[in-house]
Amino acid sequence: MSGLEQFKCPACGGSVEFNPGTQKMKCPYCDSEFDVEAIKELNSKESRNQEDNVSWEAAGGQWQEGETESMRVYVCESCAGEIIGDENLGSTTCPYCGNKVVMKGQFSGDLKPDYVIPFKLDKKQAMSNFEKFVTERKYVPKTFKSEKHIEEIKGVYVPFWLFDGDADGEMSFDAEKKKSWIEGDYECTETERYNVTRSGNVTFKNIPVDGSEKLADDLMESIEPFHFKDAVDFETAYLAGYLADKYDVDDKASEARANERIKYSVEEALGNTVKGYSSVDSRSSSISIKGGKAKYALYPVWLLSATYKGTAYTFAMNGQTGKFAGDLPVDNMGLCKYFGVSALVWTALLYGGCMLIKFLV
């Protein structure tokens, strides 16, 4: 398997791209479609011979000779973000901050992904989901809703480290049971206090942590989950027509975030088993993780950039499920009006039902 330039249309010779709708390689010039495996077979014999020598390693493998010949690294002049594309990449703006992107040079180094989840939703669906996302939110300025503020929509394969492991957890809780009754002129309450302990083992598979410092963890976690059942062995063919973010946080640096997510999940699972009490408070927690293993994968994300009144906004959509996330501008006047109305309603509730009825009508 050589570089991205190998994926040419057998019918017309044009460069083919991966189509998320059909999950096939499609030629934008003659509309011919081919399976990913078929397009590899239809290309040069040299490509097939090189593919036989590919070896896979945990948490990313090594690129084979000639595999990155036409892959290029582009660097943003503003945020210094690096993205990977082919030599014919037409984009001149950064999908993260919207500023100019310049070619840095040929791609080299770093690990090769183990897996990729191909895009299933296209740019049209990303725009449709954005419009729905904005419409359903209150207190967004009407001008933002009515005007077209999206300046850039890019399909980006975001690097993720996937962590497997087993977690042993032990927790103790302070719990209470309260019983109240009336006895003559007195209201009596009986409180029973308990020391509750729980322990258990949880096996985790593919806990994702994004390997891009440019993308906020909370933004990427907001568009989860990604369903690993759709992941396939990495092939550069899936990158055709898209960008691929170059990881700048390695698996070792991502372990702390993975441990944090695992710890929270174990504590939540153990806490959910403590039932039948009036109140429960966690007193102590001990979580140990063992058998950890990391894998390297690329997950599909649509990034949308918008500017409104001089402020830049970034939105993200899961390119597999369509889940959307991002911060929106707020109509402060509308928000003030809402809280003003709320205050009047609460005043009416406190000082008279007639006033409330009159106001609501």
Side-chain angles (χ1 to χ4, degrees):
M1 179 171 53
S2 53
L4 293 180
E5 78 279 3
Q6 292 285 331
F7 300 102
K8 301 293 185 181
C9 175
C12 71
S15 296
V16 295
E17 299 177 351
F18 181 74
N19 186 296
T22 62
Q23 294 291 289
K24 294 182 178 181
M25 304 298 291
K26 183 175 182 178
C27 177
Y29 306 101
C30 67
D31 292 331
S32 297
E33 291 187 337
F34 309 89
D35 291 332
V36 173
E37 291 299 322
I39 200 70
K40 289 162 56 182
E41 291 298 322
L42 290 169
N43 275 260
S44 69
K45 180 179 179 180
E46 178 185 357
S47 174
R48 297 197 301 273
N49 291 338
Q50 289 181 356
E51 182 185 1
D52 294 336
N53 298 323
V54 174
S55 60
W56 297 91
E57 299 176 10
Q62 299 298 317
W63 296 97
Q64 301 301 302
E65 183 179 355
E67 198 170 2
T68 61
E69 284 181 357
S70 68
M71 296 173 70
R72 299 291 184 268
V73 174
Y74 299 80
V75 61
C76 176
E77 295 181 326
S78 178
C79 71
E82 293 185 346
I83 55 178
I84 302 168
D86 64 24
E87 60 189 355
N88 299 315
L89 178 65
S91 173
T92 57
T93 56
C94 176
Y96 309 112
C97 69
N99 285 298
K100 289 183 64 177
V101 172
V102 297
M103 182 184 291
K104 179 180 179 182
Q106 185 161 326
F107 173 77
S108 62
D110 295 326
L111 296 176
K112 176 180 178 179
D114 296 315
Y115 302 99
V116 59
I117 294 181
F119 274 89
K120 290 189 176 295
L121 303 176
D122 59 19
K123 182 184 291 188
K124 183 178 179 181
Q125 289 166 309
M127 193 64 205
S128 175
N129 283 21
F130 169 75
E131 292 173 352
K132 181 181 179 182
F133 179 76
V134 173
T135 301
E136 291 178 345
R137 267 61 185 177
K138 296 181 179 179
Y139 320 121
V140 175
K142 292 182 179 179
T143 52
F144 186 85
K145 290 184 177 181
S146 60
E147 299 174 8
K148 303 296 183 182
H149 290 280
I150 292 297
E151 299 172 345
E152 194 79 13
I153 305 178
K154 290 294 180 185
V156 181
Y157 281 106
V158 175
F160 276 84
W161 302 105
L162 310 179
F163 292 89
D164 299 343
D166 293 306
D168 293 318
E170 185 172 336
M171 296 184 68
S172 61
F173 304 86
D174 292 323
E176 291 184 349
K177 284 185 178 180
K178 290 186 177 181
K179 182 171 63 175
S180 299
W181 69 93
I182 302 297
E183 192 172 298
D185 294 333
Y186 298 95
E187 181 179 349
C188 304
T189 300
E190 179 184 86
T191 301
E192 297 178 344
R193 294 184 172 87
Y194 299 85
N195 179 17
V196 182
T197 60
R198 292 288 188 270
S199 62
N201 174 270
V202 183
T203 297
F204 291 89
K205 288 285 187 182
N206 304 318
I207 299 295
V209 178
D210 78 83
S212 175
E213 196 173 60
K214 302 174 290 298
L215 294 171
D217 287 340
D218 57 353
L219 180 62
M220 290 296 98
E221 291 173 9
S222 295
I223 61 173
E224 290 181 10
F226 291 90
H227 303 303
F228 190 76
K229 63 181 178 62
D230 292 331
V232 297
D233 288 345
F234 175 78
E235 296 284 355
T236 54
Y238 292 108
L239 304 186
Y242 299 92
L243 304 176
D245 191 7
K246 187 179 180 183
Y247 73 84
D248 49 15
V249 181
D250 63 21
D251 54 337
K252 294 299 181 184
S254 300
E255 287 179 357
R257 182 59 178 166
N259 292 341
E260 181 183 335
R261 300 193 73 180
I262 290 173
K263 180 176 182 292
Y264 174 82
S265 296
V266 173
E267 290 179 342
E268 184 178 43
L270 294 177
N272 288 339
T273 67
V274 184
K275 299 178 180 179
Y277 299 94
S278 303
S279 64
V280 177
D281 294 310
S282 173
R283 186 170 72 243
S284 65
S285 171
S286 175
I287 311 294
S288 62
I289 303 170
K290 58 186 179 181
K293 179 183 178 182
K295 300 186 291 289
Y296 177 27
L298 296 180
Y299 280 176
V301 177
W302 284 101
L303 292 178
L304 296 82
S305 302
T307 302
Y308 181 72
K309 292 187 175 180
T311 300
Y313 295 87
T314 299
F315 307 93
M317 188 188 87
N318 186 315
Q320 180 191 35
T321 67
K323 190 174 181 182
F324 210 98
D327 293 327
L328 288 164
V330 176
D331 181 357
N332 292 323
M333 289 298 294
L335 203 59
C336 289
K337 288 180 181 178
Y338 169 76
F339 281 113
V341 168
S342 296
L344 287 174
V345 171
W346 280 110
T347 301
L349 284 169
L350 290 172
Y351 293 104
C354 293
M355 183 177 178
L356 171 63
I357 295 171
K358 183 177 180 181
F359 180 80
L360 290 178
V361 171

